[in-house]
Amino acid sequence: MKVAFSWLKDYVDIDVSAEKLAEKLFSCGFEVEELSYLGSKINRVVVGEVKALTPHPDSDHMQICVVDCGEEYGREIQIVTGAPNVYVGMKTPCALDNSTVVESDPRMLEKNPDGVKKIKKGKLRGVESFGMLCSGEELGINDDYYPGAELNGLLDLKKDVPVGEDIKKIVGLDDWIFDISITANRPDCQCVLGIAREVAAVLKKPLKEPNYAYVESNTNALPVAVEVQAPDLCPRYVGHYVENIANVETPAWMRKRLALSGLRSISPVVDVTNFVLLEMGQPMHAFDADELAGRKIVVRRATAGEKIVTLDEKEFTLTTENLVICDGEKPVALAGIMGGLNSEIKPTTKNVFFESAKFARDNVRKTSRALGQSSDSSFRFEKGVDAYTNAYGMARALSLMQEMGCGTVTNVKQDVCALSLAPRTMTASIQKINGLLGISVPNEEILGILTRLNFKPQIQGDQLTVEIPGYRDDVDGYPDLAEEIIRMYGYEHITPTFLEKASVTGGGLTDTQKRELHLKNVLCGQGYLEAYNYSFYSVKDFDLMKLPTDATERNAVKILNPISEELGVMRTFLAPSMLMNAVRNIRRGNDVGREFEVANVYFPNEIPVATQPIERKRLVLGVWGGKNDFFDLKGTVEKIAEIFHVNFGYERAEKPYLHPGVSANVMLGKESVGVIGELDPAIALSLGLDKKVYLGELDLSALESEMDDRIRYTNLPKFPAIDRDLALIVDEKLTCADVEEVLLHSCKYVTKVKLFDVYRGGQVPAGKKSMAFNLTFTPDATAEKAFTTETLDGFVKKILNNLKFKLGVELR
């Protein structure tokens, strides 16, 4: 929201600088994103009066001027000019030696990218010139700033301006523009008057309201009927008929105010509607009343396929979701967005019907987005326009029309309202307000602040009663009143305190966070990239993963207002998210990859959900393409076990989304804490994948108590470790993990077991397989001698006996 400093001064006697006012606005919740000085490019340019003219000896169009710029700058300054409209006695802007003006030549902007042109003394065809006489273009202004600024030639100033005066003060460039960030809850401040209210309150100055007074005249004109068929989208519609429109010139003060806001003057009627929009925040529209068929206004939803051509000559095909303003036959405006070309104000317009309404912000926003059509009005309606301002905006417009003498305000008017306009009152406990703020604000301060903010406060004991201003739809409870009080009282009064159960800590990460970070670093060292996914996915993902109807994972927390159907339930396991990551990467040419994600899964205590769901931390792994296979995934899990001193076992898994022959449960003792495996080929086929995908998921919450990443120190043995290989005949149904567990626990000196071969063939009985293991025997650190062959043979014999007894395994 851009506001001119000079415009704010129309409503408040501001006695601080623009910079100081910006600080005060920030202190009460309005951030000034930029404060810019209008005349920043103009320096040492003053009013000069041409005292004498002499033709240039070597030019038929240049003249040598003697210019009076006052006592401070010089009474007889010689300046050469080629302007055709210069004359003796002319008062015009004079850029002195070492001055700056606006660079008006587009070809020079590359040389002067800041848009500033420096003026220095020099010679023009042999004649010295100590400055330059300026046009409006060199000052960066147009006719709305100063009359005649757009003429081809020097800017001819009024005769009563004093010579030597800084030109910025004369043409309105001695001003500041505040670019203020308005939060979404304060649409009432999307206008100059709204900011002026805040300025008056923070400076403790009275607010000078605009003039709303006007006199209605009787007329013989027929009434204009207003029918609102969609009160849910248009809860208030105010209309007023003005006749005998005179095409007078818009006053200079209004043109300047519009120019400061970036708008050009068009015509008196249009200028008034634009001015009220900027000043009051009330979008208005003026219809050519003689073009309204049936002298009627109907506010309704458009019919499907209905068409309208807007003021910018664009044609739109409408739907029943669009709100239109119609006459007795056809649409004449897109409600809240733009008027129709068929009822625009023309130079020949004699009678107008002004509209000031409240339209539903969501409908205006949807229509604007759907049609790709926006305007200053739609921007305001999307933020929110209150019903209170409708009548005041209309009164201000009619007052201006009468003040400018450009029309007769009649007694033909309409006000259709489906809302209660009675003032809202609210009571609150001062003790609760102070409790929320954490300080005690004196009652006198509370009364003063809320009075300046137009809340009409009263205090009786602990009870505060206020009448909420009609333009403050955002105030709805005592916390809002607390906010109003503290932002004016000053946030610097708040004493920082700890929360009730807070305590001072040395900062840093918790042990759990440190372990999680260590885990992530380990995985990055294994070639994985970390992924972040939404905490929810689609119910369809359960079907994709072939989960049975009674699967625990299907018992998910449903989102009441999901972003989309694809994000409708909280995650109960992470594998679907990782699978989709792999699918997206493969489809986009990233054929080889490794990813991991550490995130929570959510399980409801009951359905429907009435309490906070149970959250458990999970780790999901995904590898695909290249030489990646099941054993790479298993190797990652074993690396985690090694780093965090956890002993994992593996059992054949039966997960519906994993390959039945290439998957395993990760066991911690007798408890399953995860699963790894290849994606079921049927799922891969349904997704059109030409690369194998391997997925793994570990329950970190179950592992947390077992994980220990502290560095452990043990003495090195005095004697070397010795390896022995064993080829065993094993039942087909036994897994590697079954055999490894017995091998590791049959002899305390076995420190490592590695499977290096599996064979099925003619020399192996049916229903059996040959598994070859490498065993590493490591002496204790306290051992006094190395293992002998006899000792190792004894170890192997004991191991074979245990294998025979427990698993029926024999040496091959």
Side-chain angles (χ1 to χ4, degrees), residues 528-533 577-578 581 595-599 620:
Y528 287 79
L529 297 176
E530 185 173 8
Y532 282 92
N533 294 295
S577 298
M578 184 56 68
N581 287 2
E595 285 188 3
F596 76 91
E597 182 185 8
V598 176
V620 64

Side-chain angles (χ1 to χ4, degrees), residues 400-546:
L400 289 169
M401 290 290 289
Q402 207 160 67
E403 177 185 333
M404 294 162 53
C406 60
T408 302
V409 179
T410 74
N411 59 353
V412 174
K413 57 187 177 182
Q414 296 286 349
D415 187 349
V416 181
C417 185
L419 298 173
S420 171
L421 299 178
R424 291 187 298 145
T425 59
M426 185 172 70
T427 60
S429 164
I430 294 178
Q431 184 178 355
K432 289 182 71 174
I433 291 175
N434 287 332
L436 184 62
L437 297 177
I439 58 173
S440 293
V441 182
N443 286 1
E444 296 76 18
E445 287 287 348
I446 293 175
L447 286 171
I449 289 168
L450 294 178
T451 298
R452 293 195 299 273
L453 291 171
N454 299 324
F455 279 84
K456 301 178 182 179
Q458 294 180 355
I459 294 179
Q460 291 183 347
D462 182 56
Q463 182 171 292
L464 170 66
T465 303
V466 297
E467 183 179 298
I468 301 171
Y471 50 82
R472 291 300 304 272
D473 289 342
D474 60 301
V475 177
D476 194 38
Y478 84 91
D480 297 318
L481 290 179
E483 180 185 3
E484 294 300 302
I485 292 167
I486 194 59
R487 70 186 184 89
M488 289 296 170
Y489 186 57
Y491 292 102
E492 67 275 7
H493 289 94
I494 295 178
T495 304
T497 57
F498 281 111
L499 296 174
E500 184 179 345
K501 296 184 179 180
S503 61
V504 179
T505 68
L509 303 176
T510 65
D511 289 342
T512 300
Q513 290 170 329
K514 288 177 182 177
R515 279 195 296 273
E516 184 175 314
L517 182 59
H518 190 184
L519 173 63
K520 291 179 178 181
N521 289 333
V522 168
L523 292 169
C524 289
Q526 295 289 305
Y528 287 79
L529 297 176
E530 185 173 8
Y532 282 92
N533 294 295
Y534 284 121
S535 295
F536 20 79
Y537 43 45
S538 174
V539 174
K540 296 177 182 177
D541 288 336
F542 296 145
D543 298 328
L544 173 66
M545 305 300 276
K546 299 168 61 177

